Amino acid sequence: MKSLGIEIEYIDKFLSDDDFAKLYYRTDFFIAPFRGEGFGMKIIDAAAAGLPIISPFYGGPTDYLVYSEHIPVKYSLIEITEGIDRDTLLLDKSYRWAEVDSKDLAVQIAHTIENIDKLKESALKKRKVIREKFSWQQAWKKILEIDETLKQSEFVSKDFEFFDAKFVYDKSTDAHKKLKDKEIEQTA
């Protein structure tokens, strides 16, 4: 791939928030050939950084991929076989994985490379929607609404504490601020 001017970096370790921010801002696009995702935090982070996303349109990420520059990859639904996910998550045989079609993945990567300028421009425009609709502030607003609903419920004790919302909110906005600070550094 280097002969084509394409540099691929495979990272097999956990990265700090700072290292992730640096990685997103030096990347042209994000590939997530997952079999299943509950939410896909790194995927939405990539969309919020203004990257085109190559992934199956499946699972939790469908909630936000419609607002991003998403390049869908074909997949087949397969049974989740014996293993750590089925055993630890107590999944029955009705649950399915999205098995990515590797040939289509290669086609979508080539398409993305050929159209990278147009896709990046579109992704940068669409990141504003991702940041507004799926910000930590919006998430915590929703959680606080749920907390208040639970407190009002006749089924929950009046002194019920769902969690220390202020502490959790402060921690998440600190992480969000770090990402924003990195973005400002990149554009300065």
Side-chain angles (χ1 to χ4, degrees):
M1 294 295 267
K2 269 198 170 182
S3 63
L4 298 174
I6 300 166
E7 190 174 325
I8 296 174
E9 183 176 352
Y10 178 78
I11 300 169
D12 62 352
K13 63 180 183 176
F14 287 100
L15 298 177
S16 69
D17 290 344
D18 288 343
D19 287 341
F20 257 116
K22 289 175 189 172
L23 179 64
Y24 289 135
Y25 291 109
R26 66 181 177 89
T27 302
D28 289 319
F29 57 94
F30 190 86
I31 305 170
F34 59 82
R35 287 178 148 189
E37 275 292 348
F39 186 75
M41 198 66 208
K42 299 305 172 217
I43 301 168
I44 197 167
D45 285 347
L51 295 175
I53 309 294
I54 301 173
S55 76
F57 190 73
Y58 182 74
T62 60
D63 287 343
Y64 56 83
L65 286 174
V66 295
Y67 300 105
S68 69
E69 188 56 52
H70 180 243
I71 299 94
V73 176
K74 293 177 185 173
Y75 63 91
S76 301
L77 292 179
I78 62 167
E79 182 179 330
I80 298 175
T81 57
E82 301 278 333
I84 194 165
D85 288 319
R86 193 163 116 195
D87 296 344
T88 59
L89 299 174
L90 304 174
L91 302 175
D92 65 36
K93 290 186 179 205
S94 68
Y95 287 91
R96 298 284 183 254
W97 281 139
E99 185 70 21
V100 169
D101 179 322
S102 59
K103 288 180 182 174
D104 189 55
L105 177 61
V107 167
Q108 299 312 327
I109 291 170
H111 163 79
T112 301
I113 292 167
E114 289 171 12
N115 297 285
I116 194 62
D117 292 336
K118 185 177 96 176
L119 291 169
K120 282 180 78 172
E121 182 181 330
S122 177
L124 285 169
K125 289 177 184 172
K126 291 180 176 183
R127 76 180 178 172
K128 182 178 181 199
V129 175
I130 294 285
R131 289 177 175 191
E132 288 171 0
K133 290 179 99 34
F134 300 98
S135 69
W136 281 114
Q137 290 79 7
Q138 288 298 323
W140 286 117
K141 181 179 173 186
K142 189 69 169 169
I143 288 172
L144 292 174
E145 289 171 7
I146 292 168
D147 184 49
E148 192 57 39
T149 301
L150 286 171
K151 287 177 182 175
Q152 302 301 320
S153 170
E154 63 184 82
F155 303 107
V156 178
S157 167
K158 294 301 175 207
D159 56 330
F160 170 76
E161 283 297 321
F162 185 51
F163 57 86
D164 183 352
K166 173 132 180 55
F167 172 76
V168 176
Y169 179 81
D170 288 346
K171 285 295 213 188
S172 68
T173 52
D174 285 348
H176 182 72
K177 185 178 180 321
K178 281 183 187 176
L179 188 60
K180 293 287 277 181
D181 290 346
K182 286 290 172 208
E183 178 184 328
I184 291 166
E185 285 176 23
Q186 294 292 324
T187 58

